Amino acid sequence: MSTRAGKDILTKDPNHTGSLGTAISEAVELATTTPNCKYTLGSVLNHVGLHQTIIGLEAEKQMAMAGEYPDIVIGCFGGGSNFGGISFPFMRHNLKDGKTTEFIAAEPDSCPKLTRGQFRYDFGDEAGYTPLLPMFTLGHNFKPSNIHAGGLRYHGAGMIISQLIKDGLMHGVDIPQLETFEAGMLFARTEGIIPAPESCHAIAATIREANKCKETGEEKVILFNLSGHGLIDMPSYEAFIKGDLQNYTLTDEMIAQNLAELDKQ
């Protein structure tokens, strides 16, 4: 960490492992102190989620070609752009046409802002450089566990998705790290594609829903977004195979303590 924000974060906690919130703080500071440098914020902002709807629009056409329509749409969730991208085009049919598709955002058990965070105004970065945003959050000073899904280690959630979840039109599920890698291994063996650790969260959530259908005897069309490959994440798979990975679960006390810090600022 070479910026003032990064150095301040390390001064407060020399063992800080960094997060997306940390990276945003450093990027914003670098942009504001470097001539002719521009920085555009990502996942949590509305224009990014709307731009990513190309994912869902393409999926909508593909589903039509197959003569199907999803009963459930699933995506992994960090800031929200890839989940919003796959979900929003189908959500419009729930709102306009009376469809009843269920939307599930799969997040890490170690960073459960959708399932255990609060909807409130918070900064999008750790240092507080961004505007305050209305979103589900664990607090911008939240220090996520060092799981092998870097893109999901983020304290907050996209504003549109946060409002849709607040209104009960979508919901989140939190998944332990070991379950995600088990799902990724199964997917690699059956489909021949090694998924990114982030994407494994969506796969794990999909397997959960498929198993529910097995138990109830229901037939459902499940659409999930495979958001990235894991070819540069092989060391994390190796660690899983060796048994070196573990789950990280936050206690209610830890979450409450972190959110209480927001009231002091």
Side-chain angles (χ1 to χ4, degrees), residues 69-73 90-91 94 99-103 169:
Y69 191 86
D71 298 299
I72 302 172
V73 174
F90 293 99
M91 172 59 74
N94 276 26
K99 294 286 189 180
T100 58
T101 299
E102 181 181 4
F103 299 91
L169 299 172

Side-chain angles (χ1 to χ4, degrees), residues 169-181:
L169 299 172
M170 296 177 162
H171 68 93
V173 294
D174 47 71
I175 302 179
Q177 176 165 240
L178 296 183
E179 183 181 347
T180 68
F181 274 92

Side-chain angles (χ1 to χ4, degrees), residues 141-242:
N141 54 353
F142 174 70
K143 298 177 181 63
S145 302
N146 197 23
I147 62 169
H148 287 274
L152 305 190
R153 297 172 66 251
Y154 185 64
H155 65 275
M159 291 178 285
I160 295 178
I161 292 169
S162 291
Q163 187 63 51
L164 289 168
I165 289 177
K166 184 171 181 286
D167 292 340
L169 299 172
M170 296 177 162
H171 68 93
V173 294
D174 47 71
I175 302 179
Q177 176 165 240
L178 296 183
E179 183 181 347
T180 68
F181 274 92
E182 289 169 1
M185 293 287 289
L186 176 62
F187 191 83
R189 287 168 176 156
T190 56
E191 300 297 328
I193 299 172
I194 301 171
E198 290 83 357
S199 303
C200 290
H201 290 69
I203 297 170
T206 302
I207 292 172
R208 285 186 182 184
E209 294 302 314
N211 284 333
K212 288 179 186 177
C213 291
K214 279 187 178 180
E215 293 171 3
T216 63
E218 294 180 272
E219 290 188 3
K220 291 187 177 181
V221 177
I222 305 174
L223 169 66
F224 81 91
N225 188 22
L226 182 65
S227 55
H229 67 73
L231 298 182
I232 61 173
D233 298 292
M234 298 309 292
S236 62
Y237 277 96
E238 182 179 17
F240 171 74
I241 293 170
K242 288 181 177 179

